[in-house]
Amino acid sequence: MPTANGMRPKRPQTSKETSSRRIMPFNVLPGIKKPKPSVPSIKNVCGKKHKKRLSIARGRIMGGNSALPGTHPWMAAIYIGQSDFCAGTMVSSCWIVSAAHCFFRKYVMDLRVVLGQQNFNVTGPNTRTFGVEKYIFPKQFSVFNPTLHDIVLIKLAKQDGRCARRTPFIRPICLPDQSMTFPDDYCCTISGWGHMHEKAEGYSSLQEAGVRLIPHEACRKPDVYGNHVTADMICAGLNDCVDACQGDSGGPLACARDDVSFLYGIISWGEGCGRTKKPGVYTKVVNYIDWINSVIRRKPKAS
């Protein structure tokens, strides 16, 4: 998906380039101090993972981890037509946040959202499948430069008068307050079903990886991304082989505080996958939090 500025988003996958995922090692590194800002009042209704016995063996995939069922219960698998695919993050029972570049020129009748999914395109007793009522771009988004303001809100179509019901495998992530920040070098988590490496083939089970937040000025260096990185973006994961890739677009950069996970970024774009000095770039969610809340809390107009 070439863009006007020459950068390439982590685009939805097509059947001709069927892929796995490519989120790699879960590198929880030592020496990270917990940030000071206060945690919003959330009443434990979001951002909590399903407690599983961690003695279960974890498969290693290209140096990364295969996520245990229920460890990322906010993940949404979004199937677009017959061949395209992106990820998303559940933020309430009816709303999914994803990357805008996945959805322009797409019809809602062609979208299918699966919650609680562990293996790509496999449904089971823990999954729920929804149609889409509508999707909404921020007014700043333009198809002519889709790496900018790369965020979309997707409203699930209700079933029997309601959207997603909470289960151990389906629950929303917390949205951050506008003032919430995590420090440089903080280790956050990315997850998805995308490429294991560039030109990979075949999707796999849900993967997870730890990536460190990169100072904004470091990501804007001329030999990294220069002025293509704006104040509405976050960079993470400068180490080789720790990155998101095609098929992961729209998924979460989740940062945890006191065991509560917050949607801090949205997987958006990058140059290749895991290339030296080319980290992943994520939409900075806190910059759009007022818009998100205004949409998902909007009361329907009386008929």
Side-chain angles (χ1 to χ4, degrees):
M1 186 184 300
T3 68
N5 62 15
M7 290 298 174
R8 180 167 57 84
K10 298 185 186 300
R11 64 190 186 282
Q13 204 60 41
T14 65
S15 57
K16 291 183 179 180
E17 47 184 359
T18 317
S19 129
S20 144
R21 49 123 321 123
R22 153 331 161 272
I23 287 178
M24 296 178 13
F26 198 30
N27 62 334
V28 181
L29 303 179
I32 293 299
K33 296 180 180 179
K34 288 189 176 182
K36 297 295 184 182
S38 60
V39 178
S41 176
I42 53 177
K43 298 182 180 178
N44 293 328
V45 296
C46 61
K48 286 286 190 177
K49 300 181 179 183
H50 180 42
K51 300 297 183 183
K52 294 287 287 186
R53 292 174 304 191
L54 297 180
S55 59
I56 300 174
R58 289 187 172 199
R60 305 289 297 182
I61 299 183
M62 291 295 292
N65 281 339
S66 181
L68 292 173
T71 53
H72 304 279
W74 36 81
M75 288 297 300
I78 306 171
Y79 297 89
I80 308 166
Q82 298 298 313
S83 58
D84 291 351
F85 176 80
C86 274
T89 310
M90 179 183 173
V91 295
S92 75
S93 62
C94 287
W95 290 95
I96 306 296
V97 175
S98 187
H101 75 257
C102 293
F103 297 96
F104 59 85
R105 303 194 187 105
K106 306 296 182 184
Y107 297 104
V108 292
M109 68 277 293
D110 293 329
L111 303 179
R112 175 170 57 97
V113 178
V114 182
L115 303 176
Q117 178 179 279
Q118 184 68 14
N119 295 305
F120 179 79
N121 209 19
V122 176
T123 58
N126 297 329
T127 62
R128 299 292 183 271
T129 302
F130 292 87
V132 171
E133 179 181 313
K134 60 182 176 181
Y135 58 83
I136 302 172
F137 300 127
K139 62 182 180 180
Q140 308 100 309
F141 177 73
S142 169
V143 298
F144 300 107
N145 204 342
T147 61
L148 300 179
H149 311 292
D150 192 14
I151 182 172
V152 66
L153 286 170
I154 302 164
K155 188 174 186 182
L156 301 178
K158 291 183 178 180
Q159 300 175 359
D160 300 323
R162 59 185 300 178
C163 299
R165 302 168 189 255
R166 279 173 56 101
T167 75
F169 307 96
I170 300 173
R171 59 182 66 180
I173 199 170
C174 294
L175 287 169
D177 284 345
Q178 194 174 37
S179 61
M180 176 175 272
T181 60
F182 289 86
D184 295 336
D185 293 324
Y186 197 82
C187 193
C188 298
T189 303
I190 51 178
S191 49
W193 295 270
H195 273 180
M196 287 294 295
H197 54 82
E198 291 185 59
K199 301 180 181 179
E201 295 185 359
Y203 288 94
S204 71
S205 61
L206 182 65
Q207 302 290 298
E208 63 184 14
V211 291
R212 289 188 176 277
L213 303 180
I214 296 170
H216 197 70
E217 58 274 15
C219 202
R220 285 178 57 87
K221 288 181 177 180
D223 62 339
V224 185
Y225 290 131
N227 60 10
H228 294 296
V229 172
T230 72
D232 295 316
M233 301 173 188
I234 300 168
C235 296
L238 250 183
N239 2 6
D240 296 348
C241 82
V242 184
D243 197 8
C245 200
Q246 276 71 27
D248 290 319
S249 280
L253 173 71
C255 299
R257 182 174 299 165
D258 299 329
D259 294 324
V260 176
S261 292
F262 294 88
L263 181 61
Y264 200 55
I266 299 164
I267 296 172
S268 179
W269 62 275
E271 186 174 321
C273 305
R275 294 185 185 180
T276 302
K277 291 188 176 181
K278 299 297 179 182
V281 186
Y282 304 79
T283 306
K284 190 174 183 178
V285 172
V286 294
N287 287 12
Y288 300 90
I289 203 66
D290 285 346
W291 171 71
I292 294 171
N293 287 330
S294 72
V295 173
I296 67 179
R297 295 175 183 173
R298 187 181 300 159
K299 293 183 179 179
K301 296 179 181 179
S303 57

